[in-house]
Amino acid sequence: MDSINKNQPEDNYKDVGGSEALEKLKDLVDSAETCFFCTRHEGSARPMSVRQVDEQGNLWFLSADDSHKNKEIAADPAVKLYFQGSTNSEFLVLDGVATITRDKAKIKELWTFILKTWFTEGEDDPRITAVKVTPGQGYYWDNKHGKAVAGVKMLVGAVIGKTLDDSIEGNITV
């Protein structure tokens, strides 16, 4: 079982927690910017832009109060977020609990002009809510030394017939 990882000459599995998990979370979310935001309602996955990752690791989004997503969160706050930062690395899946707020200060903090596309009355649009996702357990896949090193290792590995990727993966607990 797991023959590819066993062929690696260096360790490629590392669970992260605490401040290291928060840093990894911020890096991966910043790289991806957008995720698939999934509620437990069957078939409910939609792309959402993360507006902020705060100092506690909470992820913040803006959403319309009459959206399907907000109704689904009200019925069951458990969510799952899927991120992909690039084609070969920077993957993250997070379980979390979503809460909805109308905190005007938070909405103002998360606001950018382009959001007027959806909230046509601007940052004071009465439909705007902020959605906070408090992450629980997650799993990440990334590389250790950046894309250039990972690419070189893969090329060398292909030439010499040895598994030499630069991958790292593990559980993430914020």
Side-chain angles (χ1 to χ4, degrees), residues 28 80-83 91-95 137-141 172:
L28 294 172
K80 191 173 285 273
L81 309 177
Y82 294 91
F83 295 89
F91 300 100
L92 174 66
V93 60
L94 282 176
D95 290 315
Q137 195 67 16
Y139 202 83
Y140 75 97
W141 300 263
I172 185 168

Side-chain angles (χ1 to χ4, degrees), residues 63-71 102 119 127-129:
S63 180
D65 63 356
D66 59 351
S67 68
H68 294 293
K69 173 183 27 344
N70 281 34
K71 290 176 185 169
R102 289 186 178 273
F119 301 106
R127 298 171 299 133
I128 299 177
T129 63

Side-chain angles (χ1 to χ4, degrees), residues 11 17 25 27 36-37 45 49 53 56 66 68 81 100 103 111 124 132 136-138 144 147 150-152 159 162 164:
D11 190 23
L25 173 74
D27 288 346
F36 271 106
F37 189 113
S49 294
V53 179
Q56 293 76 42
D66 59 351
H68 294 293
L81 309 177
I100 299 168
D103 181 327
W111 180 261
D124 293 319
K132 176 176 87 171
Q137 195 67 16
K144 294 178 262 190
K147 294 175 188 171
V152 169
V159 169
K162 187 171 177 114
L164 293 177

Side-chain angles (χ1 to χ4, degrees), residues 62 103-112 123-124 128 130:
L62 291 179
D103 181 327
K104 291 292 185 189
K106 190 62 176 180
I107 290 168
K108 184 176 180 88
E109 182 182 344
L110 302 174
W111 180 261
T112 60
E123 67 185 74
D124 293 319
I128 299 177

Side-chain angles (χ1 to χ4, degrees), residues 37-41 44 72-81 94-99 133-134:
F37 189 113
C38 305
T39 60
R40 290 204 187 174
H41 186 278
S44 291
E72 293 162 8
I73 289 168
D76 184 347
V79 298
K80 191 173 285 273
L81 309 177
L94 282 176
D95 290 315
V97 176
T99 55
V133 174
T134 303

